[in-house]
Amino acid sequence: MTNSKFAATMVEILKVYDAMGFEFLPIPGRDEVFSSKIEPESVTGPIDSGTEVMTLQAIRQELGNCKRCKLHKTRKNMVFGEGSSNARLMFIGEGPGADEDEQGRPFVGRAGKLLTSLINKMGLRREDVYIANIVKCRPPGNRDPEQDEVKACIGFLKSQIASITPEVIVALGTVATKAILSTDKPITRLRGEFRDYKGIKLMPTYHPSYLLRNPSAKTIVWTDALKVLKALGLEAPEPAENVGT
Ligand code: URA
C-alpha cells in the first residue's frame, strides 16, 4: 500500500471511530475503551442483576463528550440529570428544550417551572428527587427524539435508574412513557395507574408542556401525584387542589 493510500484508509477509519463517539483510538491496553459498562440498547436485565451498578459520576464519565447520535451536532450542552443520588422519587421527561440546552440542567424552562411547582406541592424540593430525560441532548426545534437517538441514549438513563434505585418513577408524557416501558400505548391509556419497570412502580402522567397548553388537566396530574405520594408513604401536604401555576 502506498503512503497516500494508507493515509486515506486511516482517515476513513478515524471517521468511523469518531462517528461511534470515540475520542481516542481503541488501542489494546486502553482500559477506558474496552471497559465500557453501558451498552445503550442492551441494558434490559433486572435492575439488581446483569449489568454492573455504577455511580452517577461513573455514568457521567462513561457518557463523556458523547457523539453516539446526531443530536451532538446541534447541542450546546448535554443535560445529564440532577437531584439526589438517593432519591426515592424520579421524574423522567423526554429531552432538553432550549433553556435546558442553554443551562445544561433538566426542566428549567416554562415546563420546568410547572414541574418544580408540582414537586413543591407534593411537599418535596427538587433536591429531594432526581430529574432526567430519555435523551440527554436537545432535539432541534423541540421535535420528538427519533428512534435511533432514543436507542443510543436510553441505556444511560437505565443505568442512572439502576444507580439511584428510586421507589417510584414518574414518566412525564408519551415519549418518556413509551420509551421506558417499550410500549406503543398512548399516555391517555397508561396514565393514572402504576406500571412496573423492573420492580419499580412507574406512574405515567401528562407532560408539563401539555399542562401549559391544557391547564384543566392539572387536576388529573394532581390525582396521579397523590397516588405517588401514597406509594411513598407520604402525606399530601395540601388538600387536593391542583398542580399550580
Ligand atoms: N421537557 C422535557 O421533557 N425535559 C426537559 O428537561 C425540559 C422540557
Side-chain angles (χ1 to χ4, degrees):
M1 193 186 285
T2 63
N3 278 352
S4 63
K5 239 184 167 178
F6 176 76
T9 308
M10 281 308 291
V11 167
E12 286 314 306
I13 291 171
L14 288 171
K15 278 185 190 163
V16 171
Y17 279 109
D18 182 54
M20 288 163 70
F22 284 103
E23 287 171 338
F24 38 77
L25 276 177
I27 299 163
R30 292 292 298 261
D31 295 346
E32 305 94 309
V33 172
F34 290 104
S35 68
S36 179
K37 295 183 187 75
I38 298 171
E39 297 166 55
E41 272 189 81
S42 67
V43 189
T44 52
I47 234 143
D48 54 354
S49 70
T51 37
E52 185 184 330
V53 174
M54 298 163 76
T55 63
L56 290 175
Q57 205 181 7
I59 298 164
R60 179 64 192 87
Q61 212 170 354
E62 176 97 12
L63 192 58
N65 180 24
C66 185
K67 294 180 182 170
R68 292 169 181 82
C69 84
K70 57 189 175 299
L71 293 181
H72 80 273
K73 293 181 189 160
T74 46
R75 72 165 178 241
K76 285 188 185 153
N77 288 295
M78 236 182 287
V79 179
F80 181 68
E82 68 180 24
S84 166
S85 57
N86 301 313
R88 298 179 64 206
L89 176 59
M90 189 163 171
F91 289 87
I92 299 177
E94 65 179 67
D99 294 307
E100 291 77 19
D101 183 44
E102 201 67 53
Q103 297 184 37
R105 298 180 54 211
F107 281 101
V108 289
R110 275 184 77 217
K113 292 203 167 52
L114 198 52
L115 177 63
T116 305
S117 157
L118 170 66
I119 292 167
N120 295 157
K121 284 220 173 220
M122 293 171 80
L124 302 166
R125 301 165 305 162
R126 275 177 73 109
E127 310 88 90
D128 299 325
V129 303
Y130 196 88
I131 307 174
N133 282 302
I134 298 293
V135 293
K136 306 213 178 305
C137 298
R138 182 190 181 206
N142 294 348
R143 63 161 169 76
D144 286 354
E146 290 168 2
Q147 211 45 47
D148 59 315
E149 297 157 358
V150 172
K151 276 187 180 171
C153 209
I154 198 162
F156 291 96
L157 175 67
K158 290 183 175 181
S159 292
Q160 285 170 289
I161 297 171
S163 178
I164 296 164
T165 55
E167 287 162 57
V168 178
I169 295 171
V170 176
L172 299 164
T174 303
V175 170
T177 305
K178 282 185 174 179
I180 201 86
L181 292 180
S182 304
T183 175
D184 264 337
K185 291 191 185 138
I187 188 73
T188 41
R189 292 259 321 270
L190 292 167
R191 64 138 290 277
E193 297 293 333
F194 282 111
R195 315 283 157 174
D196 177 70
Y197 173 75
K198 298 184 181 184
I200 298 173
K201 287 184 160 79
L202 183 141
M203 173 61 77
T205 195
Y206 292 128
H207 192 284
S209 302
Y210 176 80
L211 298 184
L212 290 173
R213 298 189 301 273
N214 301 278
S216 63
K218 286 179 186 175
T219 47
I220 299 174
V221 170
W222 184 243
T223 61
D224 299 343
L226 290 175
K227 289 181 187 173
V228 167
L229 286 173
K230 195 168 176 202
L232 290 168
L234 298 174
E235 293 277 322
E238 295 184 24
E241 218 195 68
N242 67 37
V243 171
T245 50

